[in-house]
């Protein structure tokens, strides 16, 4: 982003001042898209390559005195404050309005309006039943508002990612202006300011280093590297993220002091670009949201189609317009599963709570199911796959490589510690070490204690504490006389100590550092406690061990010691590390120690489970390619026997260019290679190499990798903890942040947070996500079935002119009262088989609602329920004196409020009020029939393939409770006093409860036959048509 970006809007308005509003809006959209694409590109700055003179000229400043106050004020006015600007958020009232105006909700609003109109007209005509329409309208509106509030509450989450970035801005910064040193608010800093940063400070902006003394920064939140990075004035790399002479905004200075010129402020800093990138990335629609939208479209389309059809038929037969509109509204009410949205939300909430118990906190409910659909996981390395602590992993002494215990709880095997060489090596590692434990941690296990010191020294401190016991006591026995800290020039650290034996007056010099630098200062090597001359044979053995350990992606340090000559260095000798008035050559080489951030114990098993479940795991890290490859091989992302192009070239002893890239199953790509790739080349790479590792990646590249996976049709989950991960977390189908090590920015951008930072918890999430999809499918199949027995009464009512078999309010009671609990109870159903052995579902083919499900629910089980309802309906009328043939064509006389003497089959005369109560009895009988059949329906929905006898009737206790609740509520509605006048329910004869029971048994037997055919003949016509 250029420095003139802050003027873009102003210039655009100037140019578009001719009133062409449409063109201006289009231009703004194009500009925004162009800016987003530019942000995804790599950072293009050259300030790290400029000399100090060029830097002074470019920013009108001085590397010794800083800017003038006048110039600083002008730049501040031009560029604005050094802070991150929050993006425009969606107002809360709009979010709430969206919840009230979805597809199904709009249909219900239309139905409610029709009811109000009907109520008004019928009331004007003095119709006694007009209040039914008013009640119905109120209930419909209540349903929309309650489900809307519930949805808004459940889905509400903070989308303002920028808020957490604000916390990164330091309050105060030290700046030089007019040659004077000031402390000012960091947001007042400008490009060109000369600032000073010291240990413990946050870097106040992107700074080009001018001078530095032992200056180290923690870049882990930006690049993912756990090692402290030294910063010097020298230009070391063309890539600004790699060079040592730039310190980035928001990174922390660990030690040392530096001065530098600010080259970027606010939104133009690297972190600012990431913040803009994260807020500019749209939230992807979750697969379950797409599925529900698809389902709503189908239901809405069918409801309108059937409603319009009934409206036309009614008008053709001769009904008045208002009556025909009421039919339309009744069809909509009957067809729209009002309780479905609540059912889906409750099912997702239940699973979210279940996951919370397993250390996964779900912020976006729909993310639960998305995790189940996941086909690719792009995982960060540091802290997710690894323990996020440097640990001693291998030692080389006595010409053998020994493995150390890297487990989190120190439960692994350790090496033989009886060798004299090990004692000498351990002594150097313990004494030549400046790290110390923070006080008051005696009760904390050693591997988990906090330490003051860098990552490598921390690892060595913990290792020697475990080996020797209290390291403070151990060090006190060897009094330190002088010390030379590690620096990038010498690449070693040394200290001189008195020996623990008070009679031995010699001094002990101990040294550690880069292995090759240590070796060149040695003339002997210790083997099994004896000093041997360091000849070519031992140098070759050293080189082999060094290459082996380095090839494992581990950080290797060399250790040596020397007992100084007592005559040359008598007790009380004045050691001077500046003059180096003591010998630092002819030392005795003790051995090598290598360190790595080791994998978590549970990760290899989790990766294997992902592979079995058909999920691809890709490592995306900011760390070194060799380290990344080693960890990937350790955890199983690169499997045993898989080779990269480089491995094949090494094996065949041919140049890399001659290897056919498609022969390599694994591939390690670093950021500089990725930078030069086109989208097509990246897609091709991901398509042809099943095992991928991306190393040294920038935040922009993580986002590009996610987009590439999505282009290939994958449902992508991304894990991350740093600021650098937030754009990719937001772009992914599901973003998973770390709860312990995660930054606020990462947590805000994510849909799910792992409280234990453990990759293995994701596998649990995948399992639950797959289960919820299966159970939602069962729940929807159960919910849809009753649409047909709710719809057919109106079809028969209009076409055959019988008294209305089922009222609208009764339908709403089925949808929102008796059927909610059973449909939710299916969320508690256990998996039918090992769902983790199945491939991830294909979102384009494996829909939540497919043709087989709709056909089976509507035209088979739904048809049986309709027959049950009408059998009970006509039985009820016949026993009260209305034989079926008499009911045909009876509607107009039945509903005439002024006709008080309609005769039944036995010549008895019925008043309008009596007929009305008989109609309410019919509603209740039809309601009871649906309820009895729905008990069979909920039982058969427990499984889609297995027999109910295999799954077990009584494993799901919640479902059994739901059936009992359904029967109790149905009984209460039928027999509670006052119900006829409020909700149109009547007390009915006991035998009418048993008429639908044979139909319920038929549903059960019919479904068992279907499942048997599906199991016996997989892939057959039967399986394709009847398995939903």
């Amino acid at each position: 982003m250029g420095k003139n970006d802050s003027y873009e809007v102003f210039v655009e308005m100037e140019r578009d001042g001719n009133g062409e509003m449409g063109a201006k809006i289009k231009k703004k959209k194009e500009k925004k898209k162009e800016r987003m694409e530019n942000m995804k590109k790599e950072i293009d700055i050259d300030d790290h390559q400029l000399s100090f003179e060029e830097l002074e000229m470019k920013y009108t400043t001085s590397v010794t005195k800083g800017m003038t106050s006048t110039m600083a004020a002008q730049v501040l006015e031009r560029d604005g404050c050094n802070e991150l600007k929050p993006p425009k958020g969606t107002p809360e009232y709009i979010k709430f309005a969206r919840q009230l105006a979805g597809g199904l909700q709009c249909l219900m609003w239309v139905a409610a309006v029709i009811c109000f109109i009907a109520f008004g007209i019928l009331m004007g005509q003095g119709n006694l039943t007009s209040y039914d329409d008013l009640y119905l309208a109120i209930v419909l509106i209540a349903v929309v508002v309650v489900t809307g509030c519930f949805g808004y509450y459940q889905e509400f989450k903070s989308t303002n990612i920028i808020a957490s970035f604000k916390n990164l801005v330091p309050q105060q910064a030290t700046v030089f202006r007019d040659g004077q040193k000031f402390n000012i608010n960091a947001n007042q800093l400008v490009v060109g300011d000369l600032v000073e940063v010291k240990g413990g400070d946050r870097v106040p902006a992107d700074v080009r280093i001018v001078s530095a003394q032992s200056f180290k920064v923690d870049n882990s939140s930006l690049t993912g590297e756990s090692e402290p990075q030294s910063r010097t004035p020298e230009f070391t790399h063309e890539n600004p993220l790699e060079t040592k002479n730039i310190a980035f905004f928001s990174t922390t200075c660990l030690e040392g002091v530096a001065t530098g010129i600010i080259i970027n402020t606010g939104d133009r800093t690297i972190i600012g670009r990431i913040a803009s990138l994260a807020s500019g990335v749209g939230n992807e629609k979750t697969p379950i949201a797409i599925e529900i939208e698809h389902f709503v479209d189908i239901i809405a389309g069918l409801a309108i189609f059937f409603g319009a059809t009934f409206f036309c038929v009614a008008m053709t037969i001769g009904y008045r317009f208002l009556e025909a509109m009421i039919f339309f509204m009744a069809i909509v009410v009957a067809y729209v599963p009002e309780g479905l949205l609540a059912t889906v939300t409750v099912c997702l909430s239940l699973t979210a709570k279940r996951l919370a118990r397993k250390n996964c906190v779900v912020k976006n409910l729909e993310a639960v199911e998305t995790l189940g659909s996941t086909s690719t996981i792009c995982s960060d390395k540091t802290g997710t796959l690894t323990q996020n602590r440097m640990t001693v992993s291998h030692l080389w002494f006595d010409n053998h490589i020994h493995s150390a215990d890297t487990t989190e709880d120190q439960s692994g095997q350790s090496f033989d510690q009886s060798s004299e060489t090990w004692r000498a090596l351990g002594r150097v590692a313990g004494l030549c070490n400046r790290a110390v434990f923070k006080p008051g941690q005696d009760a904390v296990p050693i591997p988990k204690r906090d330490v003051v010191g860098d990552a490598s020294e921390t690892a060595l401190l913990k290792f020697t504490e475990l080996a020797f016991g209290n390291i403070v006591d151990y060090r006190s026995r060897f009094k330190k006389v002088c010390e030379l800290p590690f620096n990038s020039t010498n690449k070693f650290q040394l200290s001189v100590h008195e020996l623990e034996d008070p009679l031995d007056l010699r001094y002990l010099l101990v040294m550690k550092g880069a292995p090759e630098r240590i070796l060149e200062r040695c003339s002997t090597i210790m083997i099994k406690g004896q000093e041997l001359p360091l000849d070519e044979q031992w140098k070759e053995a050293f080189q082999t061990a060094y290459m082996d350990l380095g090839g494992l992606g581990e950080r290797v340090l060399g250790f040596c010691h020397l007992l100084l000559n007592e005559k040359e260095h008598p007790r009380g000798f004045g050691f001077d590390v500046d003059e180096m008035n003591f010998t630092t050559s002819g030392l005795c080489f003790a051995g090598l120690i290598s360190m790595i951030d080791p994998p978590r114990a549970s990760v290899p098993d989790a990766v294997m489970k992902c592979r079995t479940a058909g999920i691809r795991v890709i490592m995306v890290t900011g760390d070194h390619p060799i380290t990344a490859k080693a960890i990937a091989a350790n955890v199983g992302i690169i499997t045993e026997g898989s080779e990269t192009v480089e491995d094949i070239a090494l094996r065949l002893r041919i140049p890399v260019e001659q290897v056919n890239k498609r022969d390599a199953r694994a591939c390690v790509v670093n950021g500089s290679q990725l930078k030069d790739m086109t989208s097509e080349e990246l897609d091709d790479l991901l398509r042809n190499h099943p095992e991928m590792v991306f190393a040294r990646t920038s935040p922009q590249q993580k986002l590009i990798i996610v987009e590439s996976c999505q282009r290939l049709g994958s449902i992508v989950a991304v894990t991350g903890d740093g600021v650098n991960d937030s754009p990719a977390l937001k772009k992914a189908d599901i973003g998973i942040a770390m709860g312990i090590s995660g930054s606020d920015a990462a947590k805000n951008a994510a849909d799910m947070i792992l409280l234990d930072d453990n990759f293995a918890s994701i596998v649990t999430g995948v399992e639950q996500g797959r289960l919820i999809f299966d159970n939602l499918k069962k729940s929807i199949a159960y919910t849809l079935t009753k649409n047909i027995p709710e719809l057919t009464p109106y079809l028969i009512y209009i076409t055959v002119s019988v008294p209305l078999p089922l009222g609208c309010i009764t339908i709403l009671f089925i949808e929102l009262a008796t059927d909610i609990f059973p449909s939710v109870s299916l969320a508690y159903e256990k998996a039918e088989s090992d769902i983790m052995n199945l491939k991830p579902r294909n979102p384009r083919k494996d829909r939540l609602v497919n043709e087989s499900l709709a056909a089976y629910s509507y035209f088979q089980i739904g048809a049986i329920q309709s027959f049950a309802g009408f059998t009970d309906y006509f039985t009820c009328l016949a026993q009260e004196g209305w034989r079926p043939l008499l009911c045909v064509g009876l509607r107009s006389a039945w509903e005439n409020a002024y006709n008080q003497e309609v005769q039944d089959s036995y010549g008895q005369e019925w008043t309008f009020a009596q007929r009305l109560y008989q109609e309410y009895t019919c509603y209740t009988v039809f309601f009871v029939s649906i309820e009895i059949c729905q008990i069979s329906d909920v039982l058969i929905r427990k499984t889609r393939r297995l027999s109910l006898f295999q799954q077990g009737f009584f494993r799901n206790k919640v479902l059994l409770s739901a059936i009992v609740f359904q029967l109790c509520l149905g009984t209460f509605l039928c027999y509670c006093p006052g119900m006829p006048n409020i909700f149109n329910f009547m007390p009915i004869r006991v035998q009418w409860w048993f008429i639908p029971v044979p139909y319920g048994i038929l549903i059960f037997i019919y479904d068992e036959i279907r499942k048997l055919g599906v199991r016996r003949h997989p892939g057959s016509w039967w399986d394709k048509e009847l398995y939903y």
Side-chain angles (χ1 to χ4, degrees):
M1 286 167 74
K3 295 285 177 291
N4 58 352
D5 280 354
S6 40
Y7 305 118
E8 277 185 15
V9 178
F10 173 74
V11 174
E12 196 168 85
M13 287 172 72
E14 283 282 300
R15 262 192 256 114
D16 291 10
N18 55 5
E20 292 179 17
M21 198 67 185
K24 187 160 87 173
I25 291 166
K26 191 177 178 185
K27 210 164 199 175
K28 277 188 177 179
K29 282 184 179 173
E30 285 173 4
K31 190 135 192 161
K32 188 180 177 186
K33 191 176 178 184
E34 190 181 318
R35 283 181 65 186
M36 273 300 295
E37 290 305 315
N38 287 339
M39 279 182 184
K40 286 182 196 172
K41 292 175 186 170
E42 286 304 292
I43 296 94
D44 188 22
I45 54 175
D46 62 354
D47 293 320
H48 58 301
Q49 300 175 8
L50 303 178
S51 67
F52 291 154
E53 291 77 21
E54 289 169 323
L55 207 61
E56 287 179 328
M57 199 179 297
K58 180 175 179 180
Y59 294 116
T60 323
T61 186
S62 161
V63 294
T64 54
K65 295 180 180 178
M67 298 181 89
T68 63
S69 299
T70 316
M71 187 66 197
Q74 287 175 12
V75 178
L76 185 64
E77 193 175 334
R78 184 194 75 191
D79 288 351
C81 288
N82 175 33
E83 56 193 11
L84 303 175
K85 295 175 181 65
K88 283 183 182 176
T90 309
E92 294 302 315
Y93 69 88
I94 290 178
K95 290 181 188 175
F96 184 60
R98 283 177 187 160
Q99 290 288 344
L100 298 180
L104 294 183
Q105 288 94 327
C106 286
L107 277 179
M108 288 163 76
W109 280 116
V110 170
V113 169
I114 294 169
C115 286
F116 275 125
I117 294 168
F119 167 69
I121 294 170
L122 291 173
M123 192 70 182
Q125 294 172 352
N127 194 313
L128 294 176
T129 59
S130 61
Y131 282 98
D132 285 359
D133 294 316
L134 177 63
Y135 297 150
L136 187 55
I138 292 167
V139 171
L140 285 170
I141 291 169
V143 168
V144 175
V145 172
V146 169
T147 53
C149 290
F150 188 59
Y152 174 74
Y153 170 74
Q154 291 285 2
E155 298 300 337
F156 178 77
K157 68 168 185 171
S158 169
T159 51
N160 190 2
I161 296 166
I162 219 81
S164 70
F165 286 101
K166 280 182 179 175
N167 301 331
L168 302 175
V169 181
Q171 294 301 303
Q172 293 283 307
T174 306
V175 64
F176 293 88
R177 286 183 184 167
D178 304 315
Q180 301 289 313
K181 194 173 183 179
F182 299 100
N183 266 351
I184 65 168
N185 282 341
N187 63 359
Q188 297 301 303
L189 292 173
V190 297
V191 170
D193 262 331
L194 179 66
V195 291
E196 181 182 272
V197 185
K198 56 186 182 300
D201 292 349
R202 279 193 187 275
V203 180
D206 286 355
V207 175
R208 162 70 194 273
I209 305 296
V210 172
S211 68
Q213 288 89 41
S214 304
F215 187 61
K216 286 186 179 178
V217 290
D218 176 8
N219 271 2
S220 61
S221 70
L222 186 65
T223 63
E225 289 174 296
S226 46
E227 272 294 306
Q229 304 296 305
S230 63
R231 287 292 175 258
T232 62
E234 289 80 36
F235 161 57
T236 57
H237 203 288
E238 287 188 5
N239 184 345
L241 285 171
E242 297 278 353
T243 189
K244 288 194 172 184
N245 62 353
I246 292 185
F248 298 107
F249 171 48
S250 92
T251 57
T252 309
C253 170
L254 296 173
E255 59 180 88
V257 64
T259 59
I261 299 288
I262 291 179
I263 55 172
N264 276 318
T265 58
D267 284 338
R268 289 170 290 277
T269 60
I270 305 299
I271 286 286
R273 289 167 65 95
I274 297 169
S276 305
L277 201 55
S279 59
V281 171
N283 273 323
E284 297 295 300
K285 268 190 182 173
T286 60
I288 194 71
I290 294 166
E291 287 300 326
I292 290 169
E293 209 171 88
H294 170 248
F295 170 65
V296 165
D297 290 344
I298 293 171
I299 289 293
L302 288 172
I304 291 168
F305 169 74
F306 282 117
T309 305
F310 276 51
F311 175 80
C312 295
V313 169
M315 290 293 286
T316 308
I317 290 172
Y319 289 101
R320 286 175 297 175
F321 176 79
L322 178 63
E323 290 174 324
M325 280 305 290
I326 290 171
F327 291 146
F328 173 80
M329 174 271 305
I331 298 305
V332 168
V333 171
Y335 215 88
V336 171
E338 288 83 2
L340 180 70
L341 295 176
T343 302
V344 170
T345 311
V346 169
C347 285
L348 292 172
S349 301
L350 287 171
T351 311
K353 283 177 184 170
R354 208 176 293 159
L355 281 173
R357 289 198 292 272
K358 297 181 179 179
N359 292 315
C360 296
V361 174
V362 179
K363 286 170 60 188
N364 179 353
L365 288 178
E366 291 172 352
V368 176
E369 194 284 323
T370 309
L371 199 52
S373 317
T374 299
S375 53
T376 300
I377 298 173
C378 292
S379 177
D380 193 26
K381 177 184 75 72
T382 309
T384 311
L385 298 171
T386 64
Q387 298 170 25
N388 198 19
R389 58 181 182 90
M390 287 296 276
T391 306
V392 171
S393 54
H394 292 96
L395 304 94
W396 180 74
F397 61 86
D398 289 344
N399 202 19
H400 284 290
I401 292 177
H402 303 266
S403 294
D405 183 2
T406 57
T407 57
E408 290 161 270
D409 56 1
Q410 294 296 301
S411 59
Q413 293 271 320
S414 192
F415 60 95
D416 178 21
Q417 298 184 3
S418 61
S419 166
E420 283 296 323
T421 313
W422 151 244
R423 289 204 187 95
L425 176 61
R427 183 170 66 179
V428 180
L431 298 178
C432 191
N433 191 332
R434 303 170 73 197
V436 290
F437 289 113
K438 287 183 180 175
Q441 297 186 91
D442 294 340
V444 181
I446 293 167
K448 294 185 178 177
R449 288 184 192 171
D450 291 331
V451 175
V452 179
D454 71 30
S456 299
E457 293 217 317
T458 298
L460 290 169
L461 174 69
K462 290 178 178 177
F463 182 66
T464 49
E465 177 89 6
L466 286 163
F468 296 138
N470 192 323
I471 200 72
V472 177
D473 289 349
Y474 185 78
R475 285 176 181 171
S476 66
R477 300 204 298 268
F478 296 86
K479 186 185 171 188
K480 190 186 290 184
V481 178
C482 77
E483 182 177 47
L484 175 66
F486 182 90
N487 64 56
S488 54
T489 311
N490 296 332
K491 292 199 173 173
F492 67 75
Q493 173 184 343
L494 69 79
S495 57
V496 178
H497 302 259
E498 294 176 3
L499 291 171
E500 62 179 326
D501 183 357
L503 300 175
D504 193 340
L505 300 178
R506 291 176 297 174
Y507 285 106
L508 172 69
L509 183 148
V510 288
M511 184 187 286
K512 77 161 188 270
E516 63 279 6
R517 292 293 178 93
I518 296 296
L519 193 77
E520 66 191 23
R521 293 178 177 274
C522 294
S523 59
T524 60
I525 184 169
M526 185 173 276
I527 300 292
K528 295 183 180 174
Q530 296 182 345
E531 283 193 36
L532 302 177
L534 186 60
D535 55 22
E536 288 305 314
Q537 179 193 342
W538 286 117
K539 283 183 180 176
E540 198 174 310
F542 158 85
Q543 200 60 39
T544 306
Y546 185 22
M547 293 302 287
D548 286 348
L549 294 173
L552 293 171
E554 299 180 1
R555 186 171 187 213
V556 188
L557 292 175
F559 297 80
C560 63
H561 66 183
L562 178 67
L563 286 166
L564 296 173
N565 189 304
E566 191 183 340
K567 289 178 182 176
E568 292 177 18
H569 308 94
R571 188 56 62 96
F573 179 81
F575 290 95
D576 187 342
V577 291
D578 293 325
E579 295 294 326
M580 288 297 244
N581 62 347
F582 53 94
T583 183
T584 56
S585 58
L587 303 158
C588 175
F589 191 81
L592 300 170
I593 296 180
S594 66
M595 286 151 285
I596 198 164
D597 181 7
R600 290 175 177 272
S602 55
V603 168
D605 186 45
V607 171
M608 180 57 72
K609 276 188 180 173
C610 286
R611 204 178 289 281
T612 310
I615 300 167
R616 182 184 191 185
V617 182
I618 297 172
M619 183 192 285
V620 185
T621 178
D623 217 333
H624 194 279
I626 294 174
T627 309
K629 184 183 174 187
I631 294 291
N634 270 350
V635 300
I637 291 174
I638 295 177
T639 50
E640 198 176 338
S642 292
E643 293 180 305
T644 62
V645 173
E646 292 77 14
D647 293 335
I648 294 171
L650 197 65
R651 177 167 55 80
L652 300 176
R653 295 179 183 174
I654 57 172
V656 172
E657 293 75 28
Q658 292 180 19
V659 178
N660 180 357
K661 290 183 179 176
R662 300 203 172 187
D663 291 344
R665 182 174 169 78
C667 184
V668 180
V669 181
N670 66 46
S672 55
Q673 294 170 316
L674 193 57
K675 187 179 177 182
D676 301 326
M677 280 185 197
T678 62
S679 299
E680 291 74 25
E681 285 171 334
L682 179 57
D683 291 355
D684 193 51
L685 205 66
L686 285 162
R687 201 180 286 115
N688 294 319
H689 300 284
E691 298 169 5
M692 292 291 304
V693 173
F694 292 93
R696 283 280 189 257
T697 51
S698 66
Q700 286 86 346
Q701 288 174 335
K702 286 190 179 186
L703 186 56
I704 288 163
I705 293 162
V706 170
E707 287 178 337
S708 182
C709 291
Q710 287 173 332
R711 275 197 303 277
L712 295 173
S714 295
I715 300 290
V716 185
V718 171
T719 72
D721 56 2
V723 173
N724 56 333
D725 298 314
S726 52
L729 285 170
K730 195 152 185 248
K731 177 66 184 172
D733 296 288
I734 175 164
I736 305 166
M738 302 297 116
I740 300 169
S741 61
S743 66
D744 288 348
K747 289 176 188 174
N748 277 351
D751 303 297
M752 185 179 281
I753 298 167
L754 300 183
L755 295 181
D756 56 358
D757 285 18
N758 197 340
F759 181 83
S761 300
I762 298 170
V763 179
T764 308
V766 170
E767 200 165 347
Q768 290 297 325
R770 289 186 173 191
L771 181 59
I772 199 66
F773 185 80
D774 276 8
N775 287 348
L776 272 177
K777 212 175 176 72
K778 294 171 186 176
S779 191
I780 284 173
Y782 169 79
T783 306
L784 291 186
T785 305
K786 62 182 177 292
N787 279 11
I788 295 301
E790 288 170 355
L791 196 65
T792 46
Y794 287 91
L795 179 65
I796 301 298
Y797 172 63
I798 291 171
T799 53
V800 186
S801 280
V802 296
L804 183 62
L806 189 65
C808 287
I809 290 178
T810 321
I811 290 172
L812 284 178
F813 264 98
I814 297 170
E815 293 286 351
L816 300 169
T818 57
D819 264 17
I820 283 272
F821 192 11
S823 63
V824 169
S825 71
L826 287 166
Y828 290 90
E829 197 59 45
K830 298 281 190 294
E832 288 181 57
S833 57
D834 189 358
I835 47 178
M836 290 304 282
N837 284 334
L838 304 173
K839 285 185 178 177
R841 75 178 182 88
N842 183 336
R844 293 188 185 90
K845 293 178 184 173
D846 307 330
R847 309 305 298 252
L848 189 63
V849 180
N850 52 25
E851 286 178 17
S852 304
L853 184 146
Y856 188 68
S857 294
Y858 283 156
F859 305 121
Q860 294 171 59
I861 305 300
I864 295 172
Q865 289 197 12
S866 297
F867 281 117
F870 279 107
T871 304
D872 218 356
Y873 165 77
F874 283 116
T875 303
C876 161
L877 280 173
Q879 288 191 346
E880 293 295 329
W882 304 92
R883 288 181 179 170
L885 287 176
L886 180 63
C887 295
V888 175
L890 184 64
R891 178 187 167 273
S892 55
W894 182 277
E895 291 181 354
N896 186 346
Y898 302 105
N899 189 345
Q900 300 294 334
E901 44 193 33
V902 178
Q903 290 188 354
D904 64 16
S905 302
Y906 300 103
Q908 299 171 99
E909 291 183 350
W910 292 63
T911 64
F912 178 72
Q914 289 170 328
R915 296 197 303 274
L916 199 57
Y917 280 118
Q918 179 57 39
E919 189 173 307
Y920 292 165
T921 305
C922 292
Y923 293 175
T924 309
V925 162
F926 216 101
F927 164 83
V928 164
S929 295
I930 293 174
E931 289 312 296
I932 296 296
C933 290
Q934 281 292 82
I935 290 170
S936 279
D937 192 26
V938 78
L939 287 171
I940 67 169
R941 300 300 179 186
K942 279 167 66 72
T943 62
R944 292 189 292 150
R945 186 182 290 272
L946 288 184
S947 165
L948 203 53
F949 297 100
Q950 290 171 297
Q951 181 79 346
F953 281 88
F954 306 110
R955 283 173 64 188
N956 187 346
K957 301 287 189 296
V958 180
L959 189 140
L960 295 174
S961 307
I963 292 172
V964 173
F965 169 79
Q966 194 174 20
L967 286 169
C968 291
L969 185 59
T971 308
F972 172 79
L973 290 170
C974 290
Y975 301 108
C976 177
M979 280 294 172
N981 301 321
I982 306 170
F983 295 123
N984 307 346
F985 280 95
M986 291 289 287
I988 60 170
R989 298 184 190 182
V990 174
Q991 67 259 38
W992 293 339
W993 282 83
F994 293 97
I995 289 169
V997 170
Y999 289 94
I1001 295 167
L1002 173 63
I1003 287 170
F1004 180 79
I1005 294 167
Y1006 183 81
D1007 192 63
E1008 281 295 312
I1009 293 167
R1010 176 194 71 85
K1011 289 169 186 169
L1012 182 66
V1014 166
R1015 290 196 305 277
R1016 290 277 176 87
H1017 307 287
S1020 65
W1021 169 88
W1022 185 281
D1023 185 21
K1024 287 173 185 171
E1025 292 299 320
L1026 293 177
Y1027 179 69
Y1028 54 88

